[in-house]
Amino acid sequence: MIVSIHFEDDQKTVQVEANQRLTKVCDEHPSSILFGCRCVACGTCLIEVVSGIENLTPVMDEERILLDVLAPDNTNVRLACQCVVQGDIRIRVAD
């Protein structure tokens, strides 16, 4: 299955196979999303999911802890390093 990922900051949409890690997609299609550790430690890759948050794998405990520190009041944020894309999404770098 092919899914669409729209990067709002870059004003571009890429089509990729479903069930890929967002880190891999960003490695193959450079975007404004920056990555530091890639392992839930730094928060550099904090993104806001504009639409399609249900099309990402669920938040696991380790990610939830960091999200509660970085953006406690925003339920639409994720760490890009932890996302596997299962359907169409629109994302942007979180403020």
Side-chain angles (χ1 to χ4, degrees), residues 1-5 15-21 24-25 55 84-88:
M1 179 170 95
I2 300 294
V3 299
S4 293
I5 302 171
Q15 310 271 318
V16 298
E17 275 292 324
N19 299 310
Q20 287 193 59
R21 296 191 73 74
K24 181 176 189 284
V25 174
N55 293 327
V84 174
V85 183
Q86 300 173 322
D88 297 349

Side-chain angles (χ1 to χ4, degrees), residues 9-61:
D9 299 296
D10 306 300
Q11 298 182 1
K12 75 175 181 179
T13 302
V14 298
Q15 310 271 318
V16 298
E17 275 292 324
N19 299 310
Q20 287 193 59
R21 296 191 73 74
L22 195 48
T23 48
K24 181 176 189 284
V25 174
C26 291
D27 286 345
E28 293 173 358
H29 305 276
S31 73
S32 297
I33 300 171
L34 302 176
F35 292 94
C37 68
R38 295 178 180 238
C39 64
V40 199
C42 70
T44 302
C45 64
L46 189 68
I47 58 170
E48 184 167 359
V49 184
V50 178
S51 66
I53 199 160
E54 70 280 1
N55 293 327
L56 296 172
T57 46
V59 176
M60 302 306 274
D61 293 342

Side-chain angles (χ1 to χ4, degrees), residues 58-70:
V59 176
M60 302 306 274
D61 293 342
E62 196 175 9
E63 181 184 5
R64 170 59 49 216
I65 291 166
L66 190 52
L67 290 176
D68 287 346
V69 170
L70 296 173

